[in-house]
Amino acid sequence: MDLATIGNMLNTAFVFSTALILASLGGILSERSGIVNIGLEGLMTAGAFAAAVSAYHAQEAGFGSASPWIGLGAGALFGVLFALIHAVATISFRADQVVSGIVINFIAAGSTLYLVKLLFEGAGETSLVNEVFHKIQIPVLSDIPVLGEGLFTAYPTTYLALILVAVIYYTLYKTPFGLRLRAVGEHPSAADTVGIKVLRMRYTAVLLSGVLAGLGGATIALTTTGTFSHNTISGQGFIALAAVIFGKWNPLGALGAALFFGFAQSINNVLQLFDFSSHVPSEFIYMLPYVLTILVLVGAVGRSKAPGALGEPYFQGKR
Amino acid sequence: MDKARTVVEMRNITKRFPGIVANDSVNFKLSQGEIHALLGENGAGKSTLMNILFGLYQPEEGEIFVNEQEVVIDGPNKAIKLGIGMVHQHFKLVHPFTVTENIILGSEPKLGFAVNYKQAHKEVERLSKQYGLNVDPYAKIDEISVGMQQRVEILKTLYRGADILIFDEPTAVLTPQEISELLEIMRNLVSQGKSIVLITHKLKEIMAIADTVTIVRRGKVIDSLPVAGTNPNQLAEKMVGREVSLKLDKKNAVLGEPALEVDRLVVKGRQGLNALNETSFVLKRGEILGIAGVEGNGQSELIEALTGLRPVSSGSIKISNMEIAGATPRTISEAGISLIPEDRHKHGLVLDFPVRENMVLETYYTPQFNKRGFMDFDAIDKHAERLVKEFDVRTPSIMTEARALSGGNQQKAIIAREVDKNPDVLIAAQPTRGLDVGAIEFIHKRLVEQRNMGKAVLLISYELEEILQLSDRIAVIYEGRIVGEVNPAETNDQELGLMMTNYKQSQGGPSSEQTD
Amino acid sequence: MNKLIKAITGGSAIVPIVAIILGLLVGAIIMLIGGYDPILAYRSLINKVFGNPYDFGETLTAITPLIFTGLSVAFAFRTGLFNIGAEGQYIMGMTGATIIGVSVHLPWYIHAPLAVIVGALFGGFWGMIAGYLKAARGVNEVITTIMLNWIALHLANYIVNDYLLEPGKGRSYMIDESASVTIGWLSRLLEDARMHWGMLIALLAVVFFYVFLWRTKQGYELRVVGHNPDAAKYAGINVNRGVVKAMFISGVLAGLAGVFQVLGVFLNQAVSASHTGHGFDGIAVALLGGNNPVGVLLGAILFGSLSYGAAGMSFGADVPPEIIRIVIGTVIFFVAAPGIIRWIIKRRLPGKKSKGEVI
Amino acid sequence: GAKNNNTGGASPSESASGDTSGKDFKFAMVTDVGGVNDKSFNQSAWEGLQHLEKDTGTKVKYLESKEATNYLTNINQFVRDKYNLTWGIGFLMGDAVKEAAAKNPDAKLAIIDNVVEAPNVASITFAENEGSYLVGVVAGLTTKTNKIGFVGGIDIPVIKRFELGFVAGVKAVNPDAKVIINYTGAFDKADLGKAAAASIYNDGADIIFHAAGGTGNGVFNEAKERLKAGKKVWVIGVDKDQSLEFGDEVTLTSMLKRVDEAVYRVSKEMIDGKFPAGVITTLGLKENAVGLPETSTKNVSKEILDKVEEYKAKIISGEIKVPTAQ
Ligand SMILES: Nc1ncnc2c1ncn2[C@@H]1O[C@H](COP(=O)(O)OP(=O)(O)OP(=O)(O)O)[C@@H](O)[C@H]1O
Ligand SMILES: Nc1ncnc2c1ncn2[C@@H]1O[C@H](COP(=O)(O)OP(=O)(O)OP(=O)(O)O)[C@@H](O)[C@H]1O
Ligand SMILES: [Mg+2]
Ligand SMILES: [Mg+2]
């Protein structure tokens, strides 16, 4: 395997990873505040849907290369909308958080497809968006061997995701907001007794997770598929959730986990370039990313500790 | 002292919870510069009243005045603004955070967008010095002792500029040394102009430090009087509504065969270091052996090793001559060890299960309760009903979830279960933590009763008073070793306290062992 | 009625009933927005489910796997585990049944039971992997079960493709007649709907769930492990073994769903590009049923009927069937957040004093 | 009023005149989980029926299957509702069509891409290998790098026919060219298609032929992206003339598979009373059911297209035997 291949693998890995990074950041914010977010899949679905639809309409209305950005914004917005359902149910009405997340997945899957059918005259898929994101090369840096191809030739959304990792890491660990957010997820009544508005923090976190997961879904529609259909999002939300846990609820950890998943995915394409791959049943190649993930989990990570109050509704006077 | 100003006045406070009036038209007055004790049984409504003052609960009726101004305290934020701080019964600390992070949480000094940790650390250090609290601002809560955690709680209130401090059962979790240090800190605080409400079940502390005491029973104020003119027996009686014997009558011990022999036991602790270092002792039938020691000197590991929850590195544990070191919890339980665990919620009960299922936690599989793999609920119910009656466990029914029982009754349920197993050795770890005098009396009687029946009782407690009162013999544990053995009749808490910190007579001085 | 449901599920019937009504209402509103006729749609749905013997029978066929996967997820929940892997265990169940159904030849009284048992064991084994990894290595079962779902999909395809494939068919050979568990007379009675013994077994599984968990020693142990592993350890219960056992049983239940799809419905196993969704739907069913066996049964009936009826809506009223997922989602939502329903009821019936909120 | 999502959408080609003898007929089709708007196979079939509706005034309808258990129940929905002809669209429908046909001897059914031997079923298969051979010829003669890619959906007999025909075509004209084969394992996952295409192009290929349904959309997306970045690569589309959807800049040509024609024709025969019940029809180059679209002239040179015609004639005459799945 030569260096160029490794560069290409990295590049493909980033394409897969971008959405996972964004969504898992969303998962981290929500879960750090104490709200389980198994609805990432649904939030991504909502984001992908809104992105495909609005980018398409923006493109038709002549917004040109601004269209994917409009799509991205719409994706975030739609993600928030669904996250709001989750927030109201779990925070205000103290519904079981897992249940609510599953409901989000259900409603997102059903309603987006329904809307697609309404908006596109019965079609099960949105029309193709031609104005999608394109990879940009960072001058100079993209000439570095391996890394240039692997890292510095990427979609703007990939850079956005990486920047957000840094921003969220900084926010969580360096700012008062982050300190408070983590406190709320670890020990809400401790936060409450020092005057932090627990419910408001949780709302903020869950809505932000809608933004991020929505962005994650949107990147898939705006970089790889160019459309939205019933399985544009099929399992990525769950993989992102795995990345949250795998990454120990830490943005950098989740980044690593997401890149790992992306890398494992790209390996199977690279393997198929080699002649020996025709002797390996293709099913084993498809399995590879998932098997690798389990092996890494078993070998390296071990027990990860969730935020202390994850999954527990909070109300004043709770003991 | 001249006529002190009233800093807090609560008038006719009523607070109802479903099915209970937690505060019934309560009047309460706190004067500037005083330590005001609040005394009452479990569930009397003390915490509720103070939670109202701190804005955690809203009363249905009544008014609150702070510094002679009528106020509505609609949340902790408001209370903090009014200069009220509270150290809660269950600490409100975020464990993965550092001391500083916990203290500044909610009112962080800023530098641009970021928290200004440098300034924060400095401020924490300054306050810590000013009030003699001696905390390490950089330590994680997980890594510091309970006493230190409490000081962090105190610092939290001071950092927010509180003048009125509420302590909810602050000594329930402390060692004797820590308690005397805390009392010192409280005196210090008062001398610097603070006013303090102290909730406690320990009459001795009230006598030692409080100026005024208000007694609450079933949500009602029974009396409020200066401490100077009263005595413990009078207080206990007012509180429970009947006479309570604070002294335990205990016949002399009739010693029998050795029931538990621990020989050069070595056990690794959580960090992988040896938590028990060749610990040896012998426990005979018919005696109560008290293990005295500062928390964290191997007591938890000892309990876990004795019950099979922690692997044994070397050494031996024998029960009536049967080696049980490294055996499974079940083998050990069947060999005749029962445990009243330290943490009743963690090890003692399945809170989501009804009482009846909790009553057979270790015996569910025996032929008595199990027929060919099926639970015999008729037998289980009968058994549970009997225990509930015999041990006066106050529960609406045996089908009630354990979670709904008060702490005292949860503890009684556990004791009922463990004693009923008819063990040779009964290990009681912190059996009365957080319980009121009435409940303590009940439990102490039961332990002595077991000993009188010829059982061996191992009492592990951080409360010297309890150890001194119950034990026939006291072994002091320090850094995983038994460093001395004393006769309770011939010692006092001063001497014990020094042994526990392993200070030879020559050393002395304030303890500093916590700050490493 | 309310009393009966209360007795069975330990909860009030008001919340689920109001939740279902609200769910259908939300569905109707969305249909109206889309320009469809909700009354016609629901009439078509009901017609599809109850309109004739065939569709009624097929509705039962649709409900059956959901009972199993719902029980599977609920069982794991009850023992403190979140099994997202019912999907993979379902696939492995199919595979085990197919292997036996296709590649061995035995008299029916051995063949069919053997196929059922092997399929169930396959599912159980697949669940056990996640249980073992959790017990031995502390790996979160949520991640492993997600990964195992995908591995199962591809592994099953490999087994079918390389060992069981009927050339040119894209699926395994048909299973032997002797391995099938179809009920011929019932199918004939119901106009050739695909009826099979799995439906009866599903009901038995409901009973098993209840008896095992609340009446047996092992069930007691698993519940202690689920609710308080520390107490379990102290009580002498092997927590790790409990976790493995719980995942095994959960996997067996999900596996049985797959087993009966093969032995009773398809009579073969197709190479499949994606998940069927039965396992994921099992999560919804479990939640709908409050992780309670009878609740799961009722939840599966509701879920299965609505899903099957959706095709009728599509046929009779041209409504996109996706609407039904919105309805189901909404129903679960309201079941899960009873606070909202109480709030609504309180607004509606201010005279009636609502009982204090449980906290 | 209520929208009808099953109708509408005009068919562009041919006139709307035709006879109106279809008025009393009801035709239906059942898709697999792909749905009728998959931009290839199912959509093509539905266009065929819509076209028929337009021409003859017949009633047409479809149901999408949500999962495999629905295949049979959906078909039965139509059969029980006395539809004159019910189509099972796609290989996966085989068993369901067979079952329905056996249980309802009076009903008429038809299936695409699979063979169901029953007296009341018309089976339509395509010689995809023949058409793929021709696009293989185009690819073999067009490649500049001597590396060509093939992206398949799932490794099943139908898709294998595409692969084998394509490779044979390439080798026939360019024995040195290497064909990289990648099966993505899915027909509806554009992201997998895109990643597969990326690694193949990265490896130096300049043309990719996809037979992967919706997954293939990803192949086009990757090609378009490379084009934007200034790297010229080609895609050969499948089933329909995909240059119409994805543009001429990246679409070299497409391997047409006229499912719409087949559906239209057989349905029409039913109206005319000539339904080929029990007959297995294989549609290949001879029937013009597979092949290249007219738009190919835009990107494929005259010489190459002549070569294609040459090979086409040889295949039709039987001089060349195109390999098919084992
Ligand atoms: N959050 C709550 N929900 C319902 N009831 C409550 C709640 N908090 C307190 N109560 C009730 O109010 C009564 C008073 O409780 P409170 O905690 O004030 O007692 P306490 O005097 O502090 O007892 P202890 O000495 O055990 O701490 C309790 O008996 C309990 O029944
Ligand atoms: N969340 C709650 N909901 C309803 N009742 C409660 C709740 N928490 C406590 N109670 C009631 O409060 C009463 C006393 O409980 P409480 O926790 O104050 O006991 P306690 O003796 O203070 O225990 P501990 O000292 O261990 O905290 C119990 O009778 C219980 O029914
Ligand atoms: Mg208490
Ligand atoms: Mg209290």
Side-chain angles (χ1 to χ4, degrees), chain A residues 130 155 224 231 234 286, chain D residues 183 188-189 194 221 224-225:
Chain A
N130 284 313
Y155 293 109
T224 46
N231 66 352
S234 59
Y286 303 146
Chain D
Y183 278 93
D188 51 6
K189 302 226 51 172
K194 187 158 191 292
N221 291 346
K224 286 202 302 198
E225 194 172 302

Side-chain angles (χ1 to χ4, degrees), chain B residues 93 143 145 172 442-443 459:
Chain B
L93 294 173
E143 300 160 356
S145 69
F442 179 89
I443 285 164
L459 172 70

Side-chain angles (χ1 to χ4, degrees), chain A residues 130-212:
Chain A
N130 284 313
E131 289 288 352
V132 289
F133 286 115
H134 299 291
K135 285 183 183 158
I136 44 180
Q137 298 192 332
I138 297 203
V140 188
L141 291 178
S142 59
D143 296 332
I144 305 173
V146 186
L147 284 186
E149 172 70 18
L151 199 58
F152 298 110
T153 307
Y155 293 109
T157 46
T158 304
Y159 299 122
L160 177 70
L162 293 175
I163 291 168
L164 284 174
V165 169
V167 168
I168 288 173
Y169 181 85
Y170 181 84
T171 308
L172 271 183
Y173 294 103
K174 303 290 174 202
T175 67
F177 175 82
L179 190 70
R180 293 172 185 196
L181 187 76
R182 285 183 292 132
V184 163
E186 287 291 342
H187 197 331
S189 73
D192 193 0
T193 52
V194 293
I196 293 168
K197 298 256 183 293
V198 174
L199 303 193
R200 194 185 296 170
M201 287 303 286
R202 288 189 165 179
Y203 263 97
T204 312
V206 172
L207 294 186
L208 281 177
S209 89
V211 170
L212 288 159

Side-chain angles (χ1 to χ4, degrees), chain A residues 319, chain B residues 42-43 46-47 89-90 168-169 201 344 407 434-435:
Chain A
R319 320 176 147 213
Chain B
N42 290 131
K46 308 176 295 288
S47 300
Q89 187 173 356
H90 303 283
D168 193 351
E169 289 188 44
H201 292 295
R344 52 184 168 254
L435 300 188

Side-chain angles (χ1 to χ4, degrees), chain D residues 107-153:
Chain D
K108 295 282 182 288
L109 297 111
I111 182 152
I112 298 279
D113 264 6
N114 205 334
V115 173
V116 172
E117 286 168 13
N120 50 344
V121 179
S123 305
I124 317 291
T125 61
F126 292 83
E128 293 92 350
N129 51 335
E130 295 180 0
S132 301
Y133 190 96
L134 296 189
V135 294
V137 168
V138 173
L141 293 174
T142 307
T143 180
K144 299 212 174 71
T145 59
N146 266 359
K147 267 194 190 171
I148 297 166
F150 172 82
V151 172

